[in-house]
Amino acid sequence: MKACIIKTALSYLETPYKFNARSNQTDVFDCSSFTQFVYHQCGILLPRNSRQQFQMGTYQSIQNLEACDLLFFTTKKRKQKHGIDRIGHVAIYLGNGKMIHTYPKGKKVKISLLNQNWLNTFIGAKRVF
């Protein structure tokens, strides 16, 4: 399962970002359509948006992360909100302090370090299988 998720996610590196991209398309993604599509290709059904995806699976501490855990973050627009409404971004943990995601700042699917900038906006992690 993990190999499927990682292989599928990596196969879409450089795919352009588009806010509110439709489900089940591969020419553009937003963060949650990307995670939804990748996991679906490997037999795991996820809801469409990051807040709904956060309601799936089991919580994982940052110290207990494994490859393919979903990582959830807040954004500038959402950081003043409460509860799951704070969530505005989701990524797939690859292991070794790296994640794959798509985000407006990079405008494409890319690998990023789970560095202090990201940890400052980290909300939580979930394991969905």
Side-chain angles (χ1 to χ4, degrees):
M1 182 70 62
K2 290 182 180 184
C4 176
I5 291 168
I6 291 171
K7 181 179 178 184
T8 303
L10 292 173
S11 73
Y12 288 97
L13 276 172
E14 304 293 319
T15 301
Y17 170 88
K18 180 182 178 190
F19 178 74
N20 225 7
R22 292 186 334 266
S23 296
N24 300 315
Q25 68 178 21
T26 59
D27 56 330
V28 294
F29 292 111
D30 67 11
C31 66
S32 56
S33 73
F34 176 66
T35 55
Q36 182 189 46
F37 178 81
V38 167
Y39 280 72
H40 184 260
Q41 294 303 298
C42 300
I44 299 169
L45 300 178
L46 293 177
R48 172 59 185 89
N49 74 45
S50 57
R51 288 166 295 287
Q52 294 167 333
Q53 291 175 11
F54 185 74
Q55 295 176 321
M56 306 286 294
T58 57
Y59 288 98
Q60 302 301 315
S61 70
I62 196 83
Q63 297 83 8
N64 196 38
L65 291 178
E66 292 182 7
C68 303
D69 287 344
L70 293 175
L71 307 175
F72 296 89
F73 304 89
T74 193
T75 61
K76 287 181 184 179
K77 290 182 180 180
R78 293 190 163 274
K79 68 181 177 180
Q80 301 303 324
K81 295 184 182 269
H82 301 283
I84 66 169
D85 288 335
R86 291 183 66 217
I87 296 168
H89 186 59
V90 60
I92 300 168
Y93 188 63
L94 293 174
N96 298 316
K98 296 179 183 176
M99 61 184 184
I100 187 167
H101 61 141
T102 187
Y103 194 68
K105 195 170 186 177
K107 300 192 187 301
K108 61 187 174 185
V109 174
K110 64 181 184 173
I111 295 171
S112 297
L113 291 175
L114 185 56
N115 60 22
Q116 195 58 51
N117 288 336
W118 284 106
L119 290 173
N120 288 341
T121 63
F122 183 71
I123 299 288
K126 291 293 198 83
R127 191 165 297 149
V128 295
F129 64 92

